[in-house]
Amino acid sequence: MPDSENPATSVTFPPTFLWGAATSAYQIEGAVREDGRTPSIWDTFSHTPGKTEGGDTGDIAVDHYHRYREDVAMMAELGLGAYRFSVSWSRVQPTGRGPAVQKGLDFYRRLVDELLSKGIQPAVTLYHWDLPQELEDAGGWPERDTAHRFAEYARIVGEALGDRVEHWMTVNEPWCSAFLGYASGVHAPGRTDPAAALRAAHHLNLAHGLGVSALRSVMPARNQVAVALNSAAVRPLSQEPADLAAARKIDDLASGVFHGPILHGAYPESLYVATAGVTDWDYVLDGDLALINQPLDALGLNYYTPSLVSAADPNAKGPRADGHGASEHSPWPGVDDVAFHQTPGERTEMGWTVDPTGLHELIMRYTREAPGLPLYITENGAAYDDKIDSDGRVHDPERVAYLHGHLSAVRRAIADGADVRGYFLWSLLDNFEWAYGYGKRFGAVYVDYASLERTPKTSARWYGRAARAGALPEVGAV
């Protein structure tokens, strides 16, 4: 449809829109025993038999630690304007306490300098799930002290990089850290204690708030501080009261448990009610909510697929189809009376439905939830069964269509009044996909895991054209 008929479908983006790609430390760096780095919970978890597909680990991953110059050169050749990466806490502060290891910080200094030399804006995430194992041994995120250790770590990294990095995120997807790590156990550290998961959620919130304050105490005022949330687009199966109540419970646990205190300084009252049988929330101390509710410069949103829920049929049997891995233990504390349903439509290799309307819905929700707060899409992407063709190329038209659809949804949201300032494709590289090992490929760049050779896929070339033009090419254009 021509733009003159419907401006919301315009394929052009604001000239200042940031086009980037994202990764995380444990998924790509490798070099897990070099330059003073000590094990994180993901090192321990991936080396525990039966926890990852094929027993895969991130010991080598895609060796970004040694190949970062090659990877940055590739980003520049593709035309990316920004790169979001995470810092490995145990590479910088091996025990989670005390002084930094300068060799660890030096790696990130070199990476930032290399990015800036190529005109690529660095965006730092301080925590992407890889807690130092020593802090987990001391109790992990269910322990309040871990939030204070995070603030110390944030100050160290902010002092080292804050003069050159303007975009900062405290924690990435705290929902996964709390509920997949401590309730369902499909992520590190693999614990299955619903009460501990809710304690972990609160202390991740507290870490965020303390981390914001720590960063601001050591960095120039121009720097932007944000958080990256994987809030859900939750939809009820019907408009029946029981299904609407089910959707509210999941929304509270997927989104409200984090954005409530972070944006509004309060947990939803309905969350307290739903989880009363699991915890009394006595670990929320006086003053905590004010510490968490720090003013932000931006909000990061990660989106992959919507959730469809209903009240559970008490007679129904079978696996929980929530898309978050197989476990006998639920990542949803206190809401066993909710059933998940597969949304209709095309699916990715993860089994997740491709639905760009959920991204538009999420953006517009936070435009209302936090008026005046700039938004960034800090993760969005898809896994497909990519192969190298006989011509030596990797053609992934499904991913191109996925990106076109979701970027079009972003543009519609901008036309509808949302202040979205950038998009980070997940992921730059095929990598270690957590408990799925190397079996799921999210990258725009194909990695041969034997040789570690990088091959940009069709989607990487397409996305690079979009980044250079500030507009979306046709799906078939490369």
Side-chain angles (χ1 to χ4, degrees):
M1 183 180 294
D3 293 347
S4 60
E5 293 181 39
N6 184 358
T9 63
S10 171
V11 294
T12 59
F13 284 74
T16 56
F17 191 82
L18 203 57
W19 298 81
T23 63
S24 85
Y26 189 71
Q27 292 181 275
I28 67 165
E29 284 182 1
V32 296
R33 299 175 187 87
E34 292 189 33
D35 296 333
R37 185 188 180 278
T38 57
S40 74
I41 56 175
W42 269 98
D43 294 275
T44 302
F45 187 82
S46 65
H47 280 270
T48 302
K51 295 297 186 181
T52 66
E53 288 192 14
D56 291 340
T57 75
D59 286 3
I60 298 172
V62 297
D63 198 31
H64 177 71
Y65 191 78
H66 299 113
R67 298 168 185 257
Y68 71 93
R69 289 189 177 88
E70 170 191 347
D71 291 337
V72 172
M74 184 173 56
M75 294 180 223
E77 190 270 329
L78 289 171
L80 300 188
Y83 175 52
R84 177 185 173 227
F85 62 92
S86 77
V87 173
S88 166
W89 189 344
S90 62
R91 192 180 295 286
V92 166
Q93 198 185 27
T95 66
R97 293 180 174 85
V101 170
Q102 290 303 314
K103 285 185 177 181
L105 278 175
D106 285 346
F107 167 70
Y108 297 105
R109 292 185 177 110
R110 293 192 302 271
L111 173 59
V112 166
D113 289 346
E114 193 73 15
L115 289 163
L116 293 173
S117 74
K118 297 288 195 289
I120 300 169
Q121 292 190 44
V124 168
T125 303
L126 288 172
Y127 186 72
H128 198 128
W129 309 352
D130 48 354
L131 188 70
Q133 183 61 44
E134 287 202 22
L135 291 185
E136 174 59 25
D137 293 342
W141 285 112
E143 289 297 318
R144 185 180 185 86
D145 185 62
T146 305
H148 292 281
R149 301 285 67 74
F150 177 80
E152 180 184 28
Y153 158 65
R155 187 174 293 107
I156 288 170
V157 182
E159 285 178 335
L161 303 179
D163 60 331
R164 286 158 292 166
V165 178
E166 295 188 11
H167 297 276
W168 291 79
M169 278 142 278
T170 52
V171 296
N172 176 79
E173 296 188 356
W175 185 88
C176 295
S177 293
F179 298 113
L180 300 184
Y182 291 93
S184 69
V186 299
H187 277 192
R191 288 161 63 178
T192 54
D193 181 344
L198 289 165
R199 291 176 68 93
H202 177 65
H203 294 143
L204 281 155
N205 284 333
L206 186 60
H208 158 76
L210 294 171
V212 170
S213 297
L215 287 173
R216 290 206 169 114
S217 73
V218 296
M219 295 198 313
R222 68 174 184 271
N223 290 358
Q224 288 192 344
V225 182
V227 63
L229 301 179
N230 58 323
S231 296
V234 183
R235 298 166 178 173
L237 186 63
S238 77
Q239 294 302 303
E240 292 296 321
D243 288 354
L244 293 173
R248 176 58 187 265
K249 289 178 180 179
I250 295 303
D251 185 68
D252 282 345
L253 276 170
S255 305
V257 68
F258 298 109
H259 79 228
I262 288 173
L263 298 180
H264 308 304
Y267 286 103
E269 286 298 324
S270 50
L271 174 67
Y272 288 136
V273 172
T275 58
V278 180
T279 181
D280 60 6
W281 293 85
D282 63 344
Y283 40 84
V284 181
L285 305 185
D286 289 346
D288 279 6
L289 292 170
L291 289 172
I292 295 167
N293 182 218
Q294 298 294 317
L296 294 177
D297 302 300
L299 178 65
L301 298 176
N302 296 0
Y303 171 83
Y304 292 93
T305 191
S307 297
L308 184 64
V309 302
S310 72
D313 178 350
N315 299 314
K317 303 294 182 183
R320 184 187 60 258
D322 65 356
H324 293 295
S327 172
E328 295 179 0
H329 303 272
S330 172
W332 307 99
V335 294
D336 291 337
D337 56 347
V338 174
F340 288 81
H341 304 270
Q342 179 70 50
T343 50
E346 176 194 344
R347 301 185 196 181
T348 69
E349 280 293 301
M350 295 293 290
W352 299 344
T353 303
V354 178
D355 188 345
T357 65
L359 179 55
H360 180 272
E361 179 183 320
L362 197 65
I363 293 169
M364 299 314 298
R365 174 188 185 164
Y366 282 98
T367 297
R368 297 187 299 271
E369 285 265 356
L373 187 64
L375 304 176
Y376 289 85
I377 307 308
T378 37
E379 284 185 28
N380 177 239
Y384 290 104
D385 186 19
D386 304 314
K387 309 286 187 187
I388 292 187
D389 292 347
S390 57
D391 59 4
R393 300 180 180 181
V394 182
H395 299 284
D396 57 342
E398 301 93 347
R399 186 173 288 104
V400 172
Y402 182 100
L403 294 175
H404 189 281
H406 287 77
L407 281 161
S408 295
V410 172
R411 186 61 186 88
R412 286 196 300 276
I414 293 171
D416 290 341
D419 184 11
V420 186
R421 299 193 181 180
Y423 175 96
F424 291 84
L425 178 155
W426 186 271
S427 177
L428 175 69
L429 299 157
D430 289 337
N431 55 40
F432 175 78
E433 188 50 40
W434 307 114
Y436 295 98
Y438 296 96
K440 306 295 184 188
R441 293 182 178 270
F442 275 89
V445 174
Y446 184 91
V447 178
D448 181 314
Y449 293 126
S451 68
L452 298 177
E453 182 179 356
R454 278 84 157 129
T455 303
K457 304 173 188 178
T458 300
S459 59
R461 302 295 183 193
W462 181 91
Y463 185 66
R465 286 190 58 183
R468 286 192 174 93
L472 301 186
E474 293 297 321
V475 171
V478 180

